[in-house]
Amino acid sequence: MGPIQIAETRARQSDDPRLYMLAYSAGWNAAADGGDLEDHAAKVGLDGEAGFIEGVAAYRALKATARDFVPSSPAHVQHLMEQR
């Protein structure tokens, strides 16, 4: 299951699915652009929204390299297996 499928599932579970997906997309884009994430979230009025935070986390996880994981952790092993 990819990041967008996970986000869509989480959106369906939230109180406001449209707001969740808007915040998720904004978080993803803010992480891709770099800079101060808290400042960006405040500028677009999404500070504290779970979707924003999860969008940032999803982007960072997608762009992570083996050095970003705790050595020998399940996430590290899975990442190494995916790179083969």
Side-chain angles (χ1 to χ4, degrees), residues 5-78:
Q5 289 86 10
I6 294 169
E8 289 170 345
T9 300
R10 298 273 294 149
R12 284 191 290 274
Q13 297 169 349
S14 73
D15 294 334
D16 187 348
R18 295 178 79 191
L19 176 61
Y20 180 91
M21 289 306 293
L22 174 71
Y24 181 90
S25 177
W28 181 283
N29 291 330
D33 292 342
D36 186 355
L37 296 173
E38 290 180 15
D39 184 48
H40 183 80
K43 284 181 185 175
V44 295
L46 296 170
D47 49 328
E49 288 293 330
F52 186 89
I53 296 164
E54 291 184 22
V56 170
Y59 179 82
R60 288 180 174 171
L62 187 65
K63 297 299 178 187
T65 62
R67 66 178 175 79
D68 296 323
F69 295 101
V70 175
S72 300
S73 69
H76 182 237
V77 171
Q78 179 178 353

